[in-house]
């Protein structure tokens, strides 16, 4: 046997120290890494056995052995094993890359992709928990093996071994447990079971401890749907979501080609209480080759689909050295786009196949999904296709496609109004002419509705039109005549000069029973949106709106007549204030001086009793 004692380079020692103390946030990770390496070795032997029958093994497995007295934990496999040169090359990856440049890139989280997933990288995580590590390995088909040993400080030894078994075993000589430092007793069977269950449960090879197999090896996402029962899916959903209600839908997909991954996703049947909380746990579980990596991978889904639960298992991903933090690379973005497209398509299928489940879904998650309309992404049209809205057409929500199909001849816009509640919107004066003409209006009452309608212009080539903004042309037969307009010219001019809180006073045909209403400019802020921005602490300039008068209403006609008879009467100014105040209250607005308004109203009422 030949034994060599080698010394780590200076930069390599710094690199090792960085990995042990900075990159890995959880010391339990070391066992995950050792099992993952063992699983890779078994995969490689299985592939090699396809070409050479002598390399096949009848019982591929991973074995864990704990010795409490000696304080050692050994992870052993009967996989492909390594030659002496491969041990030096693979475990020496860091030593051979021990340059100041590599160290700088790791500190900046810009590590080289060549390091990702290599045996020597995750292997060094053992030094978080070890005083010394001994590796014994023999390449399948080779006559001799090799022993590598190091305490992780300055040197390592490597020697040839004649009687090493095929495969690899890593014996970790554990440091004393220190729970304050999150350094647990890794010879404890319960702790070992916990780590294997969490990180390695779905590895396709058995992980054994004595006579017991610790992992289930049931990666449901890797099995055809026809081979998995509904109960198995439901049980798995409960396991990953901690939700004891059955999911509304199960979505399974597989991507093959240059970049491969599998996904098993679930649409929950109820929204979690923290769906709209910024610090809530959202995201999918990420596996790489059935090894658990992250529990909350937000990068894999756009935020408006954050409620979806499930698993993504990638054949290869650019991860950092600990396999914990995803880098923003094109593979991540590719998965994100494809998953979003598949989820939205599945929701659309649910609309036609199970209307009751769809209604449940939209009631629970509709406001969150509509957040995707705030940014014009490729999901934009798909979201509009699956969205439902309350409508004046009936009690049940309607889709935009159904709204467009019901539009009468002559209607060329999709009419809507935003507000705090259905009752408030339906009772708004703005609705009067639309109700009289038989035009359907969408009733948008979710806070997000106030924002997305600002950026979404049309659907199916039909433009969205707020009935509370700008001038609305309903081609009414009751348009004010030129004579009528002339009759009101003087009082309108007076009102424009009297009411400082409005931008303009004008006649309208949108009212049938109310005397007045307030409308915003076509591009102006609605009152609700203005309140929303102010609640977020944004300073906004004063927004003045337009007061529209119904010339057919007795009150408006009386104001005109009174102005013609006695334009300087101070009570006329008070009437103008009351007219404006009632229009403001009718839309749910806030009076600037409620006490004055109440006093004026009480005074007028007292004179009519």
């Amino acid at each position: 046997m030949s034994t060599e004692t080698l010394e780590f380079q200076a930069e390599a020692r710094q690199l090792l120290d960085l990995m042990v103390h900075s990159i890995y946030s959880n010391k339990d990770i070391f066992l995950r890494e050792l099992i993952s390496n063992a699983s890779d070795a078994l995969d490689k032997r299985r592939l090699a056995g396809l070409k050479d029958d002598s390399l096949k093994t009848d019982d591929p497995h991973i074995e864990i052995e704990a010795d409490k007295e000696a304080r050692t934990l050994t992870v052993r496999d009967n996989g492909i094993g390594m030659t002496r040169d491969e041990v030096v090359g693979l475990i020496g990856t860091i030593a051979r890359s021990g340059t100041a440049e590599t160290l700088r890139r790791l500190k900046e989280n810009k590590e080289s992709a060549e390091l990702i997933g290599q045996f020597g990288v995750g292997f060094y995580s053992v030094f978080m928990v070890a005083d010394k590590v001994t590796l014994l390995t023999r390449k399948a088909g080779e006559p001799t093996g090799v022993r590598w040993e190091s305490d992780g400080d300055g040197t390592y030894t490597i020697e040839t071994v004649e009687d090493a078994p095929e495969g690899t075993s890593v014996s970790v000589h554990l440091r004393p447990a220190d729970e304050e430092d999150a350094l647990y007793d890794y010879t404890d069977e319960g702790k070992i079971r916990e780590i294997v269950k969490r990180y390695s449960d779905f590895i396709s090879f058995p992980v054994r401890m004595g006579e017991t197999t610790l992992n289930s090896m049931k990666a449901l996402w890797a099995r055809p749907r026809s081979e998995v029962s509904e109960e198995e899916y439901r049980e798995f959903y409960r396991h990953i979501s901690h939700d004891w209600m059955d999911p509304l839908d199960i979505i399974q997909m597989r991507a093959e080609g240059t970049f491969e991954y599998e996904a098993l996703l679930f649409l929950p049947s109820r929204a979690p209480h923290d769906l709209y909380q910024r610090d809530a746990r959202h995201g999918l579980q990420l596996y790489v080759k059935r090894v658990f990596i992250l529990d909350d991978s937000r990068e894999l889904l756009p935020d408006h689909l954050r409620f979806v639960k499930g698993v993504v298992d990638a054949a290869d991903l650019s991860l950092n050295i600990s396999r914990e933090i995803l880098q923003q690379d094109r593979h991540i973005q590719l998965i994100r786009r494809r998953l979003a497209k598949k989820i939205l398509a599945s929701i659309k299928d649910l609309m036609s196949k199970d209307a009751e489940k769809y209604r449940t879904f939209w009631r629970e998650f509709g406001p969150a999904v509509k957040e995707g309309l705030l940014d014009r992404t490729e999901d934009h049209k798909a979201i509009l296709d699956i969205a439902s809205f309350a409508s004046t057409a009936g009690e049940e929500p309607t889709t935009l496609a159904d709204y467009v199909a019901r539009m009468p001849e002559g209607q060329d816009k999709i009419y809507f109004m935003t507000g705090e509640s259905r009752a408030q919107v339906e009772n708004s004066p703005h609705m009067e002419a639309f109700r009289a003409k038989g035009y359907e209006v969408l009733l948008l009452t979710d806070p997000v509705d106030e924002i997305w309608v600002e950026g979404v212009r049309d659907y199916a080539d039909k433009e969205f039109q707020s009935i509370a903004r700008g001038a609305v042309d309903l081609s009414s037969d009751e348009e004010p005549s030129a004579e009528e307009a002339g009759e009101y010219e003087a009082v309108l001019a007076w009102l424009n000069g009297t009411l400082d809180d409005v931008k303009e006073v004008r006649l309208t045909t949108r009212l049938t029973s109310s005397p007045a209403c307030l409308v915003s400019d076509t591009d102006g802020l609605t009152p609700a949106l203005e309140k929303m921005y102010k609640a977020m602490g944004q300073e906004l300039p004063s927004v003045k709106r337009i007061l529209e008068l119904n010339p057919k209403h007795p009150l408006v006609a009386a104001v005109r007549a009174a102005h013609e008879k006695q334009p300087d009467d101070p009570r006329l100014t008070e009437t103008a204030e009351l007219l404006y105040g009632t229009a403001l209250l009718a839309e749910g607005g806030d009076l600037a001086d409620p006490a004055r308004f109440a006093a004026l109203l009480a005074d007028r009422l007292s004179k009519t009793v």
Side-chain angles (χ1 to χ4, degrees), residues 483-536:
E483 181 181 355
E484 193 172 43
E487 291 175 349
Y488 276 88
E489 184 176 352
V491 71
L492 290 178
W494 173 76
L495 286 168
N496 274 302
T498 300
L499 295 173
D500 294 332
D501 291 332
V502 300
K503 179 180 180 181
E504 178 189 355
V505 184
R506 67 191 183 198
L507 299 181
T508 186
T509 60
R510 80 171 81 217
L511 299 173
T512 60
S513 58
S514 297
C517 69
L518 286 164
V519 300
S520 300
D521 279 332
T522 303
D523 297 321
L525 292 178
T526 64
L529 193 57
E530 185 180 359
K531 284 182 184 178
M532 194 179 300
Y533 282 132
K534 287 182 177 178
M536 293 187 293

Side-chain angles (χ1 to χ4, degrees), residues 436-451:
K437 294 285 288 185
Y439 285 163
E440 182 179 354
V441 179
L442 299 179
L443 313 173
L444 309 184
T445 57
D446 289 325
V448 68
D449 293 330
E450 292 285 352
I451 306 175

Side-chain angles (χ1 to χ4, degrees), residues 182-252:
L183 179 61
Y184 301 104
D185 180 5
Y186 293 108
T187 65
D188 180 72
E189 182 177 338
K191 184 63 178 177
I192 295 169
R193 285 176 178 272
E194 173 196 325
I195 296 172
V196 172
K197 187 70 176 176
R198 175 169 175 78
Y199 293 106
S200 308
D201 193 46
F202 304 117
I203 282 179
S204 55
F205 303 102
V207 180
R208 298 171 182 160
M209 192 169 183
E211 299 296 320
T212 305
T213 298
L214 304 182
N215 60 325
S216 71
M217 296 178 285
K218 291 183 178 179
L220 297 190
W221 58 85
R223 295 162 58 187
R225 189 154 183 174
S226 60
E227 296 180 4
V228 182
S229 70
E230 290 300 309
E231 181 55 36
E232 284 180 296
Y233 280 127
R234 287 193 290 267
E235 185 60 36
F236 182 71
Y237 170 72
R238 296 184 192 111
H239 171 68
I240 63 172
S241 68
H242 308 295
D243 178 8
W244 295 103
M245 294 185 67
D246 292 342
L248 288 174
D249 198 19
I250 301 166
I251 305 168
Q252 195 162 1

Side-chain angles (χ1 to χ4, degrees), residues 74-194:
T74 300
V75 177
R76 185 179 298 111
D77 67 73
N78 57 347
I80 194 66
M82 292 178 281
T83 64
R84 182 188 183 98
D85 289 343
E86 286 171 337
V87 170
V88 173
L90 290 171
I91 301 184
T93 297
I94 293 177
R96 290 189 294 105
S97 304
T99 64
E101 172 64 14
T102 304
L103 182 60
R104 182 188 66 79
R105 294 172 73 184
L106 269 174
K107 285 181 177 178
E108 295 177 1
N109 196 28
K110 297 178 181 178
E111 63 282 346
S112 167
E114 300 89 72
L115 292 177
I116 305 306
Q118 293 191 23
F119 184 98
V121 178
F123 172 79
Y124 275 96
S125 64
V126 295
F127 287 105
M128 292 187 295
V129 301
D131 287 328
K132 183 174 68 174
V133 177
T134 303
L135 177 142
L136 181 65
T137 184
R138 177 159 70 95
K139 182 94 172 205
E142 294 292 323
T144 60
V146 62
R147 178 183 287 111
W148 179 99
E149 194 168 85
S150 176
D151 58 12
D153 289 336
T155 63
Y156 59 92
T157 63
I158 189 165
E159 63 178 313
T160 300
V161 179
E162 299 294 337
D163 57 351
E166 289 184 337
T168 301
S169 68
V170 179
S171 294
V172 184
H173 301 259
L174 296 163
R175 304 205 316 258
D178 182 358
E179 293 200 7
E180 289 187 4
D181 190 34
L183 179 61
Y184 301 104
D185 180 5
Y186 293 108
T187 65
D188 180 72
E189 182 177 338
K191 184 63 178 177
I192 295 169
R193 285 176 178 272
E194 173 196 325

Side-chain angles (χ1 to χ4, degrees), residues 413 415-418 425-439 441 465-480 484 504-523 526 545-553 556 583 586-587:
K413 292 182 173 63
Y415 294 115
F416 72 88
M417 184 174 175
T418 60
V425 177
E426 283 189 309
N427 294 324
S428 168
H430 296 92
M431 297 291 294
E432 294 173 7
F434 291 87
R435 190 178 292 113
K437 294 285 288 185
Y439 285 163
V441 179
Q465 171 70 58
S466 169
I467 67 170
R469 278 186 171 180
V472 176
D473 180 14
L474 297 181
S475 301
S476 173
D477 295 332
E478 303 296 329
E479 295 287 343
E484 193 172 43
E504 178 189 355
V505 184
R506 67 191 183 198
L507 299 181
T508 186
T509 60
R510 80 171 81 217
L511 299 173
T512 60
S513 58
S514 297
C517 69
L518 286 164
V519 300
S520 300
D521 279 332
T522 303
D523 297 321
T526 64
R545 301 171 68 214
I546 300 165
L547 179 66
E548 292 192 344
L549 303 180
N550 177 8
K552 308 296 184 185
H553 197 278
V556 177
E587 67 170 17

